[in-house]
Structures are given as C-alpha cells and as structure tokens.
Amino acid sequence: MISIFGNQERRQSRRCWLAQQGQALAITILLAWTIEPAAGQSPASQAYRIAAGDKVAVVVFGQPDLSGESTVDQGGNIRLPIVGEVRAATLTPSELEKSIVHSLEQGYVRRPMVSVKIAEFRPIYVLGMVRTPGPYPYREGQSLLAAIAHAGGIGAADHGGVSGDVFQADERVRLLEISRVALLAKRARLIAQQNGDDRIDFQSLSGLVADPARIAQIRDNEQRAFTAEKQAEQQETEVLRKQFPRLEAEVASLKQQANLERKQRELNNQLIADYEQLAKSGLARKPTYIEIKREEARIEGSIARLQSEALRAELAIGDLQYKITELHNNYQRRVMAELRETDRLLLELTVTLPSARRARAARTGQIGWLAGDQGEQPAITVIRAKGTTTVKYDAAVEFLLQPGDVVQVGSLVPRTLEETPNQVDPSNASPGPTVGLVQPPQ
C-alpha cells in the first residue's frame, strides 16, 4: 500500500511538473537572458555599407529625370537613367555619391551634385521558436526585442495578446527616442542654415537613450544635407552673378556708341549752320539741305535707340539682383517652414514619448518577465554577414539589429516535453535564481 501511494504521489508530482513546463513554453513573452551580449553588438561607427536588397534613393540636384529609387540587385548594382548600372554593394552612401558623380561627369551632367540615402533596408529574418517565422522589414534602431515581437513572440500561445502589446510598446518608445534625436539634429542644421553659419553646432545628445553609432550617423546625414544645400544655393547664385559682367559691358558699349552719335550730331549741326549762311546768299541748293536735315533726324533716332537699349540692360542688371535676393529669401523661407514643423514635432514628442514610456511600463507590469525557474530559456542567436563570412552573436534583449540579420530563437527542431523529466526528477529539483523578475500589479 505504501508503495502504491508513493507511486501515485510521484505520478501526480510528475503531471504537475509537466503542466508547469507546458505553461512556461506557451506564454509568449521574451525571457530575461543571463547571456552577456557579444562585444561590439552596436552597429559599427563607420557609415552603413550597402548590400543586395537595399533600396537606395538617389537625388541629382536640378535633374529630376535622373533622380529616383532603385533596389540593389543580387549582383550588387543599381540601374540609373542614362548612366545604366552602377556598382553599389559594399559602398557607403557617401562613396556611392562619389561614384555616381564620376559616372555623370562622363559627358552627361556638368558638375553634378548627388545625394544618396537608404530608402528601405533589406529585411531581417526571425526563425525558430516564434509564432510567425519569416522575413520582416528592418526599422531604424530595431532591437532584438522588437524583432521577436514582430514574429509574434516566443512559443505558440499568446497570453491574452498582452505580450505582443509589450513588444509594440517597447518598439514605439525606441522609435520615438530615435525620432527625437533626428529632430534635434535637423533643428541644429536648420538653425545653422538660417544664421548663414559655415558649420552645424550640434548640441550634446549624450544624455539621450539612443545608440551612439546611430547618433553619429544621424549627425553625418544632417551635415551632408547642410553642405549640399549650401553648395546648391551658392552655385545658383554664382550662375546669376556671372551674367553681370556681360550686361555691364553691354551698357558701357551702348553708352559709348551714344557718345559717338552725339559727336556726329555736333558736326552735323555745324554743317547745317554753314549751309544756312550759304542759303541766305542764294548759293545753297535745296536738295542738299534736305539731306543734311535727314542725317540730323537719323542721328537723333540712333541716340534715342542706344539710350533705350542701355536702359533695358540696366533693368536686366536690376532683375538679376532681384533674382539673387529672391533666391536667398526662398531658401530662408523654406528653412523657416521646416524649422517651425520640426519645433512642432519636438513639442509633440514631449507628450507622446513620456506617455509611450508609461504605457510600456504598464504593459510590462501586467505580465511580468519569466524567471529562470519557469523552464529552460531558449538560446537567442543573431547571425550576421561580414563580407564573405558570417558571425554569430549570443544576443540579449538590448541587442541592436542590422539589415540582413538572421535571428534564431532556440533550436529549429523543438524538443519534446517528455525529455526533461527523464533526466531530472522534478520532486528533487530546486528552483533556480530569479533574474529580472517584475511582479504584476495587484
């Protein structure tokens, strides 16, 4: 009897333990891993290297027909109008700009100004113990936590949809923080443009919750935009100023011709006076007198014409001066409009960002994070291409992903629940340490 009751108690304990294991695997929340993130988990401080699958936006200033978006093909090239295929893979946006400038200078565009940015990164892939494995679009500043959230979370069951809300709330906070950094950098650029400065005075962004490499990249993008717009305005102004010498020379030539005609008029007037004296003596011929008066009328008409043409040239000089002033004013008006819009968005962030943080904290408090004794934690591996090789990282929740990363959650071949009880007696197992546990609100 004692043996029978002992076997029943062991079977009942085994069933309870299996139920706890199943519940732990069914809850779709991200575990608090104890694995330290690999060194250098943040994106490299250097500029992003373009790869196949990225969509690149190319803007050729003043040439809308040559501008547009193009996806890097498997050969690593993009196709541009007129130019054809241009190598893009392994290049940074700034290096691709120089390559396109070099191609356009081969008899297509004189002194081209090109801006290149990544319109859409190649996707990331989430595989393994997630609800919806597959490719997902990469977003700026995307963390491992957000990637698993897009894939539906770990496991097969959703805890009332709350865990997905946690991931979405966390991703929203991260995106808002990066947006705030981008807006502050843009505001610094617009102020520098408004003041006519030669450089951008970026304020310190070290206290913001954002990746330092991402901050450096945002600053670099704004600096390139500042330089490009400043050069564009200077070039347009220079084109207008180059017309001044021609018009000024034309005015001087017309005035010189008018002075010569005036001298001719003085000589003709003397001839008329002499001829009138002869006419009084009866020695002058009337047809000759008529020709002299006709020459006088021609000279007067030529002087009037030259004065009119000189006046038109002077008016053209005034129009050029007006166009230069209007060009500068148009740039300033556009800068002021963008600055007002940037200030408005920053003002909105002072409300939306704290609210998003509170929402994330509330969602996290609703479900809590699983402790180490809730069951075996799945290993998270990020596989990243490095040239012709791949590098694997043991990743934690704060790991920042890069385009093309492959996230593998656990094993691609899941283990069955019956394996663990054969190895460990649940009645003698002691609970493991609790890591990062957050109790739900009472």
Side-chain angles (χ1 to χ4, degrees), residues 221-361:
N221 291 338
E222 292 297 336
Q223 184 64 51
R224 289 209 305 268
F226 173 77
T227 303
E229 293 192 11
K230 191 176 185 66
Q231 290 178 351
E233 182 181 3
Q234 290 175 349
Q235 287 186 357
E236 292 183 24
T237 303
E238 185 64 22
V239 169
L240 294 175
R241 290 189 183 278
K242 285 182 178 180
Q243 301 181 42
F244 279 109
R246 177 182 63 81
L247 292 173
E248 290 171 351
E250 183 178 351
V251 170
S253 176
L254 291 171
K255 288 183 177 180
Q256 184 178 7
Q257 293 179 44
N259 290 332
L260 292 175
E261 290 291 339
R262 291 188 184 95
K263 291 181 180 179
Q264 186 69 23
R265 183 177 61 183
E266 292 175 359
L267 294 175
N268 193 70
N269 289 338
Q270 292 177 4
L271 182 61
I272 291 174
D274 294 342
Y275 201 84
E276 287 177 350
Q277 291 293 332
L278 292 174
K280 291 178 181 179
S281 303
L283 300 177
R285 297 176 59 189
K286 188 173 183 181
T288 304
Y289 181 74
I290 294 174
E291 287 297 327
I292 295 174
K293 296 297 288 185
R294 185 178 296 171
E295 178 66 14
E296 180 185 24
R298 185 197 66 77
I299 293 173
E300 292 293 340
S302 179
I303 292 174
R305 177 181 58 80
L306 292 172
Q307 289 177 340
S308 177
E309 292 178 358
L311 181 60
R312 280 198 297 269
E314 291 175 349
L315 290 175
I317 293 175
D319 289 339
L320 283 177
Q321 293 173 341
Y322 172 78
K323 288 180 180 179
I324 292 174
T325 304
E326 187 65 16
L327 175 66
H328 177 72
N329 290 339
N330 287 336
Y331 272 92
Q332 288 295 314
R333 281 193 290 268
R334 182 177 56 78
V335 167
M336 292 178 63
E338 290 186 14
L339 186 58
R340 286 195 298 269
E341 179 65 14
T342 302
D343 288 337
R344 184 186 68 80
L345 294 175
L346 283 171
L347 183 61
E348 289 182 357
L349 280 178
T350 59
V351 177
T352 55
L353 184 55
S355 299
R357 288 171 178 164
R358 289 193 295 269
R360 181 180 61 178

Side-chain angles (χ1 to χ4, degrees), residues 48 50-51 53-59 68-72 78 93 96 115-122 137-140 217 221 224 403:
Y48 174 74
I50 301 171
D54 290 333
K55 181 179 288 186
V56 179
V58 179
V59 176
E69 296 183 354
S70 180
T71 302
V72 183
I78 60 174
L96 181 55
S115 174
V116 173
K117 69 176 182 178
I118 307 299
E120 182 179 329
F121 293 96
R122 60 190 187 278
Y138 174 79
R139 298 184 180 180
E140 293 281 346
Q217 184 180 17
N221 291 338
R224 289 209 305 268

Side-chain angles (χ1 to χ4, degrees), residues 55 59 67 83 113-114 116 128 131 147 154 163-164 193 206 212 224 226 263 267 272 297 316 318 351 376 435 442:
K55 181 179 288 186
V59 176
S67 304
V83 178
M113 294 187 59
V114 179
V116 173
R131 293 187 61 187
I154 297 175
S163 60
Q193 288 179 310
S206 58
R224 289 209 305 268
F226 173 77
K263 291 181 180 179
L267 294 175
I272 291 174
V351 177
E376 184 180 356
V435 180
Q442 300 296 330

Side-chain angles (χ1 to χ4, degrees), residues 45 49 72 94 109 175 186 189-190 197 217 249 254 288 297 325 330 401 437:
S45 58
R49 296 283 175 180
V72 183
S94 58
V109 180
L175 291 176
K186 182 179 180 180
R189 171 177 65 84
L190 293 173
D197 298 333
Q217 184 180 17
L254 291 171
T288 304
T325 304
N330 287 336
L401 299 177
L437 180 63

Side-chain angles (χ1 to χ4, degrees), residues 14-44:
R14 179 186 177 90
R15 286 193 296 269
C16 293
W17 189 87
L18 287 174
Q20 292 176 354
Q21 293 294 315
Q23 183 180 6
L25 290 176
I27 300 177
T28 58
I29 63 173
L30 186 63
L31 305 179
W33 294 283
T34 58
I35 302 175
E36 291 293 332
Q41 68 177 32
S42 300

